């Protein structure tokens, strides 16, 4: 599913114009993005949690040449699905 698919679904379900639907979807993504940039977690009930995690620098290896390279420190976004979402995805199994 792409952002365009989400916009199309919002357009069909809410009866708004495509521009209004696109603006709503973009606003939601921007809100999530801004929260994560500030280091704040995003918790969506029944869906899951997005959080930022700091990764320390470490040694890696170029798989093509075998040369050792340093992988720089960085921040990564992690997602943990809620139990409700996991149950729906797995059709109540497990």
């Amino acid at each position: 599913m792409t952002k365009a698919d989400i916009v199309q679904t919002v357009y069909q379900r809410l009866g708004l114009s495509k521009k209004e639907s696109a603006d709503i979807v973009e606003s939601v993504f921007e809100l999530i993005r801004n929260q994560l940039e500030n280091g704040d977690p995003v918790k969506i009930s029944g869906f899951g949690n997005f959080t930022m995690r700091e990764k320390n620098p470490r040694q890696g290896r170029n798989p093509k040449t075998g040369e050792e390279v340093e992988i720089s420190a960085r921040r990564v976004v992690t997602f943990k699905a809620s139990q409700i979402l996991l149950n729906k995805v797995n059709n109540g199994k497990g």
Side-chain angles (χ1 to χ4, degrees), residues 12 14 23 29 33 46 57 66 70-71 77 82 86:
Q12 290 172 343
L14 299 182
D23 289 345
F29 287 155
R33 191 170 33 249
E70 181 171 323
I71 300 171
V77 176
S82 75
L86 290 173

Side-chain angles (χ1 to χ4, degrees), residues 38-53:
N38 293 331
D40 299 326
V42 176
K43 298 179 180 188
I44 302 172
S45 180
F47 188 72
N49 299 326
F50 294 92
T51 57
M52 291 299 297
R53 196 180 94 187

